[in-house]
Amino acid sequence: MCRFLAYSGEPLVLHDLLYGPEHSLIAQSCAARRDEDPVNADGVGVGWFAPEISPFPAVFRSPQPAWSCASLRSVSTLVRTGLAFAHVRSASPGSEVSEANCHPFASGPFLWMHNGSVGGFPHLRDWARRYLSGSSFAQIRGTTDSEHLFALFLEQWAEAGSPRDPEGLLDAFRKTLAFLEDIL
């Protein structure tokens, strides 16, 4: 199963968050405890915000295992942030290992990641092709259930008038879940 980290707090160097703690996300990617498969070798991704530069997140993704990704190690030493998502991937059976399938996904002011799998995903994928708006469907670059869920959320958010307040965002998320229940 994938592993992820979400951080909101005092700005710190991303490397210290990803590599520093004894049970860091990078350490867990090659030696997870309490899991049948203790290795997450199917990619790594990090998204972070630098509000003094842009209201939109930056994203680094690679299909390499987290523990051997030299680019991540290098970039993370130069990023200071107070808001970050990080994800190490263990691909679902039959799912392609590629940069496009690595989390987190980003669009506008949002970062999105997910752990687990969506039951009935083939139905969701087929539905998305037929019924999502062109702009929401165009956001999908990979083949994961997570990214399809993100496109559905973006659609619900846009239909709600793109609210920025926490309650408006939660309402769009609730509608996404309700809509998902209806189509699956």
Side-chain angles (χ1 to χ4, degrees), residues 24-125:
S24 71
L25 188 65
I26 304 304
Q28 288 183 47
S29 72
C30 59
R33 295 181 180 184
R34 299 183 189 152
D35 203 344
E36 286 181 27
D37 184 7
V39 178
N40 298 96
D42 299 325
V44 60
V46 181
W48 65 92
F49 288 85
E52 65 282 358
I53 299 171
S54 172
F56 304 113
V59 176
F60 173 92
R61 299 185 311 183
S62 171
Q64 290 183 296
W67 65 83
S68 67
C69 186
S71 294
L72 175 62
R73 184 175 289 276
S74 176
V75 166
S76 70
T77 63
L78 300 175
V79 173
R80 186 174 187 80
T81 185
L83 189 58
F85 275 9
H87 187 276
V88 291
R89 185 165 185 251
S90 182
S92 299
S95 181
E96 178 185 344
V97 175
S98 68
E99 182 177 328
N101 284 341
C102 291
H103 306 210
F105 304 104
S107 180
F110 298 111
L111 285 172
W112 181 279
M113 60 186 180
H114 164 255
N115 190 16
S117 59
V118 174
F121 174 57
H123 180 68
L124 172 62
R125 184 183 54 235

Side-chain angles (χ1 to χ4, degrees), residues 88-177:
V88 291
R89 185 165 185 251
S90 182
S92 299
S95 181
E96 178 185 344
V97 175
S98 68
E99 182 177 328
N101 284 341
C102 291
H103 306 210
F105 304 104
S107 180
F110 298 111
L111 285 172
W112 181 279
M113 60 186 180
H114 164 255
N115 190 16
S117 59
V118 174
F121 174 57
H123 180 68
L124 172 62
R125 184 183 54 235
D126 293 343
W127 176 91
R129 282 188 196 125
R130 289 190 303 267
Y131 298 106
L132 281 178
S133 68
S135 60
S136 293
F137 189 75
Q139 298 290 323
I140 301 171
R141 299 280 187 252
T143 59
T144 66
D145 53 358
S146 302
E147 193 173 18
H148 282 73
L149 279 176
F150 187 33
L152 179 56
F153 166 78
L154 292 170
E155 180 101 347
Q156 296 300 312
W157 180 68
E159 285 182 13
S162 306
R164 299 258 183 211
D165 62 288
E167 193 55 43
L169 291 171
L170 283 174
D171 190 49
F173 186 70
R174 286 185 200 105
K175 286 180 181 178
T176 300
L177 295 178

